[in-house]
Amino acid sequence: MTEPRYDVVAIGNAIVDVLSPADDAFVAENGMTKGAMALMFSPEEADALYAKMGPGQEVSGGSAANTIAGMAALGSECAFIGQVADDQLGEVFAHDIHAAGIRFDVSARAGQPTTGRCLIFVTPDGQRTMNTFLGASHYLPAESIDATLIEDARYLYLEGYLWDPEEPRAAMRAAIDIARKAGRKVAFTLSAEFVIDRHRDAFQELIDQGLIDVLFANEAEIVFLTQAADVDSAIAAVAPKVPLVVVTLSERGALAQAGTERVTVPAQPIDAVVDTTGAGDLFAAGFLHGQARGQTLEQSLTLGAVCAAEVISHFGARPIADLKELAQKAL
């Protein structure tokens, strides 16, 4: 097998985050569940909520895109497959991902709907309540999958958030087939409980068929997927079918299970939690970067914890500190 050019090629939602501070009362008054993510199904709904926001900050986002932005900041070679529209936010997303040194070749889509956006309300305790209009991301066609690109990447990384619409789901299934035939590894993140609720059978099928090499989840997600009594039982149900299971445990750190081997690391200390947006995404970035570089499970988990700690210390889901420097200090 030839040495791959890229550490990871990711497929995910191409969206722009709009972040704004809000108090608990605002969240409740507008029918939102604090700390959760809800979908908006029309541009009119997104526009109405956007009009209620206070001063905001626009930052390119999307779960898988955040992960590879973190990996690129650590020095990984990355590529991204996702769909934007031919509009201002689409230009913002493309500019940001190219500026990070990430390959992104998918042409912008003409006409409606607009580029996806996520309206994020951050309460004083750092919790983020997200309202997402996926827009053009729903229309990622299977023909956007570059087989040569996927064959040339060590990992194919997929986000569960994009499993909902038919076109991207078909694109990701095609990408999985290409990666497996090329002998590359497939990493998958469950993304959120509402995603699992809609696609539990499909996700279980991927697991049962041995199509996932690395599964990322937080403790609530893996318990919800398996309907187990607790996180240990959930991991026990999945680990025989997935070579590497990685579970984040919030302020208690994270663990990785590979066969019968389990490694746990604590969370990295920070002065204050400012915004938890992207914590799981950046954790995956650090972990996958470590694995792509041949580091141990403990080292990879530590890198994940370092990246997660950096991103929750400020607004936005993309790193602003020098992740390479932070990684060198931690290892």
Side-chain angles (χ1 to χ4, degrees):
M1 186 185 301
T2 59
E3 188 68 14
R5 175 182 175 184
Y6 297 97
D7 293 301
V8 62
V9 55
I11 303 176
N13 286 312
I15 62 179
V16 177
D17 295 337
V18 183
L19 300 102
S20 179
D23 57 25
D24 289 350
F26 178 91
V27 171
E29 288 166 4
N30 286 277
M32 294 180 273
T33 301
K34 182 180 174 180
M37 200 283 271
L39 290 176
M40 298 181 290
F41 295 98
S42 71
E44 292 78 17
E45 184 182 1
D47 289 343
L49 185 57
Y50 180 70
K52 297 179 181 180
M53 293 185 82
Q57 175 185 355
E58 292 182 354
V59 184
S60 289
S63 177
N66 292 337
T67 294
I68 60 167
M71 291 189 71
L74 286 164
S76 285
E77 293 292 330
C78 304
F80 180 73
I81 298 172
Q83 187 67 65
V84 298
D86 186 12
D87 57 18
Q88 183 178 0
L89 288 183
E91 291 177 3
V92 169
F93 183 91
H95 171 271
D96 288 351
I97 204 162
H98 288 141
I102 297 164
R103 178 174 170 178
F104 175 54
D105 300 333
V106 180
S107 299
R109 186 176 185 274
Q112 293 295 318
T114 59
T115 295
R117 54 187 139 151
C118 183
L119 308 182
I120 303 174
F121 299 91
V122 185
T123 44
D125 58 0
Q127 287 295 310
R128 80 282 188 268
T129 302
M130 301 184 292
N131 299 268
T132 304
F133 173 59
L134 293 172
S137 288
H138 265 189
Y139 298 91
L140 177 72
E143 54 265 29
S144 66
I145 301 302
D146 183 338
T148 302
L149 180 63
I150 292 170
E151 292 166 349
D152 207 14
R154 197 177 306 276
Y155 287 92
L156 170 67
Y157 182 70
L158 307 172
E159 62 170 271
Y161 281 131
L162 196 58
W163 202 260
D164 220 30
E166 182 177 350
E167 279 190 280
R169 184 167 62 250
M172 287 192 286
R173 284 192 176 276
I176 290 172
D177 289 343
I178 294 166
R180 303 301 299 185
K181 289 176 183 177
R184 305 308 187 190
K185 293 183 178 181
V186 177
F188 191 90
T189 176
L190 293 175
S191 293
E193 289 179 53
F194 83 89
V195 176
I196 299 167
D197 191 44
R198 295 166 70 93
H199 301 290
R200 180 182 283 107
D201 290 346
F203 292 171
Q204 285 285 14
E205 182 180 357
L206 293 175
I207 291 169
D208 292 344
Q209 291 178 353
L211 298 178
I212 298 176
D213 298 289
V214 186
L215 180 68
F216 288 97
N218 63 34
E219 55 187 319
E221 290 162 359
I222 197 163
V223 167
F224 192 67
L225 172 72
T226 60
Q227 302 287 276
D230 54 47
V231 68
D232 287 331
S233 300
I235 293 171
V238 173
K241 304 171 185 177
V242 178
L244 181 52
V245 181
V246 184
V247 181
T248 56
L249 306 170
S250 191
E251 70 277 359
R252 304 194 319 280
L255 66 84
Q257 180 106 12
T260 58
E261 179 188 8
R262 177 176 294 192
V263 179
T264 304
V265 301
Q268 292 287 307
I270 62 170
D271 293 333
V273 176
V274 175
D275 172 18
T276 55
T277 308
D281 303 335
L282 268 294
F283 180 89
F287 185 87
L288 277 179
H289 176 79
Q291 289 293 284
R293 292 293 185 271
Q295 294 178 331
T296 66
L297 289 179
E298 182 176 6
Q299 289 172 324
S300 297
L301 286 169
T302 299
L303 274 178
V306 166
C307 293
E310 191 282 335
V311 82
I312 66 176
S313 67
H314 58 78
F315 275 107
R318 300 283 174 93
I320 60 175
D322 187 334
L323 291 187
K324 288 183 180 179
E325 182 178 340
L326 292 176
Q328 288 173 354
K329 291 179 180 178
L331 298 180

